[in-house]
PDB file of all heavy atoms in Angstrom:
ATOM      1  N   GLU Z 164     138.621 162.181  -4.387  1.00 94.00           N
ATOM      2  CA  GLU Z 164     137.583 162.160  -3.280  1.00 94.00           C
ATOM      3  C   GLU Z 164     136.197 161.915  -3.891  1.00 94.00           C
ATOM      4  O   GLU Z 164     135.414 161.076  -3.284  1.00 94.00           O
ATOM      5  CB  GLU Z 164     137.599 163.451  -2.586  1.00 94.00           C
ATOM      6  CG  GLU Z 164     136.625 163.539  -1.420  1.00 94.00           C
ATOM      7  CD  GLU Z 164     136.800 162.439  -0.366  1.00 94.00           C
ATOM      8  OE1 GLU Z 164     137.940 161.957  -0.232  1.00 94.00           O
ATOM      9  OE2 GLU Z 164     135.802 162.110   0.343  1.00 94.00           O
ATOM     10  N   CYS Z 165     135.897 162.512  -5.023  1.00 95.00           N
ATOM     11  CA  CYS Z 165     134.593 162.364  -5.676  1.00 95.00           C
ATOM     12  C   CYS Z 165     134.490 160.817  -6.091  1.00 95.00           C
ATOM     13  O   CYS Z 165     133.414 160.208  -5.891  1.00 95.00           O
ATOM     14  CB  CYS Z 165     134.456 163.199  -6.870  1.00 95.00           C
ATOM     15  SG  CYS Z 165     132.942 162.928  -7.865  1.00 95.00           S
ATOM     16  N   TYR Z 166     135.566 160.281  -6.648  1.00 95.00           N
ATOM     17  CA  TYR Z 166     135.535 158.868  -7.113  1.00 95.00           C
ATOM     18  C   TYR Z 166     135.290 157.952  -5.922  1.00 95.00           C
ATOM     19  O   TYR Z 166     134.406 157.051  -6.004  1.00 95.00           O
ATOM     20  CB  TYR Z 166     136.898 158.542  -7.722  1.00 95.00           C
ATOM     21  CG  TYR Z 166     136.963 157.112  -8.148  1.00 95.00           C
ATOM     22  CD1 TYR Z 166     136.399 156.654  -9.370  1.00 95.00           C
ATOM     23  CD2 TYR Z 166     137.638 156.151  -7.422  1.00 95.00           C
ATOM     24  CE1 TYR Z 166     136.492 155.352  -9.822  1.00 95.00           C
ATOM     25  CE2 TYR Z 166     137.789 154.809  -7.826  1.00 95.00           C
ATOM     26  CZ  TYR Z 166     137.154 154.394  -9.029  1.00 95.00           C
ATOM     27  OH  TYR Z 166     137.227 153.113  -9.375  1.00 95.00           O
ATOM     28  N   ARG Z 167     135.986 158.180  -4.812  1.00 96.00           N
ATOM     29  CA  ARG Z 167     135.843 157.335  -3.653  1.00 96.00           C
ATOM     30  C   ARG Z 167     134.422 157.404  -3.054  1.00 96.00           C
ATOM     31  O   ARG Z 167     133.894 156.362  -2.630  1.00 96.00           O
ATOM     32  CB  ARG Z 167     136.840 157.725  -2.590  1.00 96.00           C
ATOM     33  CG  ARG Z 167     138.316 157.328  -3.001  1.00 96.00           C
ATOM     34  CD  ARG Z 167     139.316 157.598  -1.863  1.00 96.00           C
ATOM     35  NE  ARG Z 167     140.670 157.312  -2.321  1.00 96.00           N
ATOM     36  CZ  ARG Z 167     141.569 158.259  -2.455  1.00 96.00           C
ATOM     37  NH1 ARG Z 167     141.344 159.525  -2.305  1.00 96.00           N
ATOM     38  NH2 ARG Z 167     142.822 157.900  -2.873  1.00 96.00           N
ATOM     39  N   GLN Z 168     133.875 158.631  -2.974  1.00 96.00           N
ATOM     40  CA  GLN Z 168     132.531 158.783  -2.470  1.00 96.00           C
ATOM     41  C   GLN Z 168     131.525 158.093  -3.282  1.00 96.00           C
ATOM     42  O   GLN Z 168     130.621 157.320  -2.826  1.00 96.00           O
ATOM     43  CB  GLN Z 168     132.157 160.279  -2.433  1.00 96.00           C
ATOM     44  CG  GLN Z 168     132.798 161.037  -1.287  1.00 96.00           C
ATOM     45  CD  GLN Z 168     132.312 162.483  -1.236  1.00 96.00           C
ATOM     46  OE1 GLN Z 168     131.946 163.073  -2.238  1.00 96.00           O
ATOM     47  NE2 GLN Z 168     132.267 163.032  -0.046  1.00 96.00           N
ATOM     48  N   GLY Z 169     131.605 158.191  -4.645  1.00 96.00           N
ATOM     49  CA  GLY Z 169     130.707 157.504  -5.540  1.00 96.00           C
ATOM     50  C   GLY Z 169     130.839 156.069  -5.508  1.00 96.00           C
ATOM     51  O   GLY Z 169     129.894 155.287  -5.655  1.00 96.00           O
ATOM     52  N   PHE Z 170     132.093 155.567  -5.428  1.00 97.00           N
ATOM     53  CA  PHE Z 170     132.378 154.184  -5.427  1.00 97.00           C
ATOM     54  C   PHE Z 170     131.738 153.538  -4.151  1.00 97.00           C
ATOM     55  O   PHE Z 170     131.095 152.404  -4.246  1.00 97.00           O
ATOM     56  CB  PHE Z 170     133.888 153.952  -5.372  1.00 97.00           C
ATOM     57  CG  PHE Z 170     134.313 152.523  -5.829  1.00 97.00           C
ATOM     58  CD1 PHE Z 170     134.778 152.226  -6.992  1.00 97.00           C
ATOM     59  CD2 PHE Z 170     134.266 151.528  -4.834  1.00 97.00           C
ATOM     60  CE1 PHE Z 170     135.190 150.999  -7.390  1.00 97.00           C
ATOM     61  CE2 PHE Z 170     134.692 150.235  -5.134  1.00 97.00           C
ATOM     62  CZ  PHE Z 170     135.116 149.962  -6.396  1.00 97.00           C
ATOM     63  N   LYS Z 171     131.860 154.175  -3.018  1.00 97.00           N
ATOM     64  CA  LYS Z 171     131.276 153.656  -1.830  1.00 97.00           C
ATOM     65  C   LYS Z 171     129.767 153.664  -1.913  1.00 97.00           C
ATOM     66  O   LYS Z 171     129.051 152.656  -1.519  1.00 97.00           O
ATOM     67  CB  LYS Z 171     131.683 154.602  -0.631  1.00 97.00           C
ATOM     68  CG  LYS Z 171     131.169 154.141   0.733  1.00 97.00           C
ATOM     69  CD  LYS Z 171     131.598 155.067   1.866  1.00 97.00           C
ATOM     70  CE  LYS Z 171     131.060 154.604   3.158  1.00 97.00           C
ATOM     71  NZ  LYS Z 171     131.592 155.483   4.292  1.00 97.00           N
ATOM     72  N   GLU Z 172     129.191 154.691  -2.544  1.00 97.00           N
ATOM     73  CA  GLU Z 172     127.718 154.696  -2.703  1.00 97.00           C
ATOM     74  C   GLU Z 172     127.262 153.672  -3.592  1.00 97.00           C
ATOM     75  O   GLU Z 172     126.151 153.007  -3.434  1.00 97.00           O
ATOM     76  CB  GLU Z 172     127.336 156.070  -3.188  1.00 97.00           C
ATOM     77  CG  GLU Z 172     125.826 156.341  -3.161  1.00 97.00           C
ATOM     78  CD  GLU Z 172     125.225 156.572  -1.697  1.00 97.00           C
ATOM     79  OE1 GLU Z 172     126.034 156.769  -0.788  1.00 97.00           O
ATOM     80  OE2 GLU Z 172     124.023 156.515  -1.566  1.00 97.00           O
ATOM     81  N   MET Z 173     127.976 153.409  -4.741  1.00 98.00           N
ATOM     82  CA  MET Z 173     127.651 152.359  -5.670  1.00 98.00           C
ATOM     83  C   MET Z 173     127.627 151.073  -4.975  1.00 98.00           C
ATOM     84  O   MET Z 173     126.682 150.193  -5.170  1.00 98.00           O
ATOM     85  CB  MET Z 173     128.644 152.392  -6.812  1.00 98.00           C
ATOM     86  CG  MET Z 173     128.535 151.189  -7.745  1.00 98.00           C
ATOM     87  SD  MET Z 173     129.866 151.208  -9.037  1.00 98.00           S
ATOM     88  CE  MET Z 173     131.355 151.049  -8.041  1.00 98.00           C
ATOM     89  N   CYS Z 174     128.604 150.774  -4.186  1.00 97.00           N
ATOM     90  CA  CYS Z 174     128.699 149.462  -3.501  1.00 97.00           C
ATOM     91  C   CYS Z 174     127.614 149.325  -2.516  1.00 97.00           C
ATOM     92  O   CYS Z 174     126.949 148.263  -2.368  1.00 97.00           O
ATOM     93  CB  CYS Z 174     130.020 149.274  -2.806  1.00 97.00           C
ATOM     94  SG  CYS Z 174     131.396 149.044  -3.976  1.00 97.00           S
ATOM     95  N   SER Z 175     127.234 150.446  -1.802  1.00 97.00           N
ATOM     96  CA  SER Z 175     126.112 150.387  -0.793  1.00 97.00           C
ATOM     97  C   SER Z 175     124.771 150.131  -1.460  1.00 97.00           C
ATOM     98  O   SER Z 175     123.936 149.389  -0.919  1.00 97.00           O
ATOM     99  CB  SER Z 175     126.155 151.657  -0.018  1.00 97.00           C
ATOM    100  OG  SER Z 175     125.056 151.720   0.890  1.00 97.00           O
ATOM    101  N   ARG Z 176     124.526 150.731  -2.565  1.00 98.00           N
ATOM    102  CA  ARG Z 176     123.215 150.670  -3.302  1.00 98.00           C
ATOM    103  C   ARG Z 176     123.087 149.364  -4.131  1.00 98.00           C
ATOM    104  O   ARG Z 176     121.999 148.781  -4.175  1.00 98.00           O
ATOM    105  CB  ARG Z 176     122.946 151.896  -4.118  1.00 98.00           C
ATOM    106  CG  ARG Z 176     122.758 153.142  -3.309  1.00 98.00           C
ATOM    107  CD  ARG Z 176     122.532 154.361  -4.283  1.00 98.00           C
ATOM    108  NE  ARG Z 176     122.468 155.598  -3.597  1.00 98.00           N
ATOM    109  CZ  ARG Z 176     121.386 156.375  -3.745  1.00 98.00           C
ATOM    110  NH1 ARG Z 176     120.379 156.041  -4.510  1.00 98.00           N
ATOM    111  NH2 ARG Z 176     121.397 157.533  -3.076  1.00 98.00           N
ATOM    112  N   LEU Z 177     124.101 148.971  -4.860  1.00 98.00           N
ATOM    113  CA  LEU Z 177     123.982 148.024  -5.887  1.00 98.00           C
ATOM    114  C   LEU Z 177     124.654 146.669  -5.514  1.00 98.00           C
ATOM    115  O   LEU Z 177     124.410 145.650  -6.274  1.00 98.00           O
ATOM    116  CB  LEU Z 177     124.618 148.520  -7.177  1.00 98.00           C
ATOM    117  CG  LEU Z 177     124.022 149.825  -7.725  1.00 98.00           C
ATOM    118  CD1 LEU Z 177     124.805 150.294  -8.980  1.00 98.00           C
ATOM    119  CD2 LEU Z 177     122.538 149.619  -7.974  1.00 98.00           C
ATOM    120  N   HIS Z 178     125.485 146.609  -4.483  1.00 98.00           N
ATOM    121  CA  HIS Z 178     126.105 145.400  -3.994  1.00 98.00           C
ATOM    122  C   HIS Z 178     126.667 144.613  -5.229  1.00 98.00           C
ATOM    123  O   HIS Z 178     126.372 143.460  -5.430  1.00 98.00           O
ATOM    124  CB  HIS Z 178     125.083 144.489  -3.313  1.00 98.00           C
ATOM    125  CG  HIS Z 178     124.248 145.242  -2.299  1.00 98.00           C
ATOM    126  ND1 HIS Z 178     124.768 145.674  -1.103  1.00 98.00           N
ATOM    127  CD2 HIS Z 178     122.932 145.628  -2.332  1.00 98.00           C
ATOM    128  CE1 HIS Z 178     123.794 146.314  -0.461  1.00 98.00           C
ATOM    129  NE2 HIS Z 178     122.716 146.326  -1.146  1.00 98.00           N
ATOM    130  N   PRO Z 179     127.640 145.231  -5.933  1.00 98.00           N
ATOM    131  CA  PRO Z 179     128.143 144.561  -7.127  1.00 98.00           C
ATOM    132  C   PRO Z 179     128.876 143.215  -6.871  1.00 98.00           C
ATOM    133  O   PRO Z 179     129.569 143.095  -5.797  1.00 98.00           O
ATOM    134  CB  PRO Z 179     129.103 145.595  -7.701  1.00 98.00           C
ATOM    135  CG  PRO Z 179     129.438 146.522  -6.570  1.00 98.00           C
ATOM    136  CD  PRO Z 179     128.237 146.549  -5.711  1.00 98.00           C
ATOM    137  N   ALA Z 180     128.777 142.299  -7.750  1.00 97.00           N
ATOM    138  CA  ALA Z 180     129.529 141.079  -7.646  1.00 97.00           C
ATOM    139  C   ALA Z 180     130.960 141.274  -8.044  1.00 97.00           C
ATOM    140  O   ALA Z 180     131.834 140.553  -7.487  1.00 97.00           O
ATOM    141  CB  ALA Z 180     128.869 139.975  -8.586  1.00 97.00           C
ATOM    142  N   GLU Z 181     131.231 142.096  -8.984  1.00 98.00           N
ATOM    143  CA  GLU Z 181     132.577 142.455  -9.397  1.00 98.00           C
ATOM    144  C   GLU Z 181     132.533 143.761 -10.068  1.00 98.00           C
ATOM    145  O   GLU Z 181     131.568 144.147 -10.677  1.00 98.00           O
ATOM    146  CB  GLU Z 181     133.074 141.371 -10.333  1.00 98.00           C
ATOM    147  CG  GLU Z 181     134.577 141.539 -10.834  1.00 98.00           C
ATOM    148  CD  GLU Z 181     135.038 140.459 -11.706  1.00 98.00           C
ATOM    149  OE1 GLU Z 181     134.223 139.461 -11.969  1.00 98.00           O
ATOM    150  OE2 GLU Z 181     136.220 140.456 -12.145  1.00 98.00           O
ATOM    151  N   ILE Z 182     133.674 144.472 -10.057  1.00 98.00           N
ATOM    152  CA  ILE Z 182     133.748 145.854 -10.702  1.00 98.00           C
ATOM    153  C   ILE Z 182     134.948 145.818 -11.627  1.00 98.00           C
ATOM    154  O   ILE Z 182     136.045 145.486 -11.307  1.00 98.00           O
ATOM    155  CB  ILE Z 182     133.877 146.971  -9.588  1.00 98.00           C
ATOM    156  CG1 ILE Z 182     132.690 146.932  -8.719  1.00 98.00           C
ATOM    157  CG2 ILE Z 182     133.975 148.264 -10.305  1.00 98.00           C
ATOM    158  CD1 ILE Z 182     132.876 147.844  -7.481  1.00 98.00           C
TER     159      ILE Z 182
END
Side-chain angles (χ1 to χ4, degrees):
E164 181 59 24
C165 176
Y166 179 80
R167 293 187 181 110
Q168 284 184 331
F170 197 100
K171 181 178 180 180
E172 190 72 15
M173 171 182 65
C174 291
S175 175
R176 290 178 183 239
L177 301 177
H178 314 289
E181 183 176 0
I182 299 170

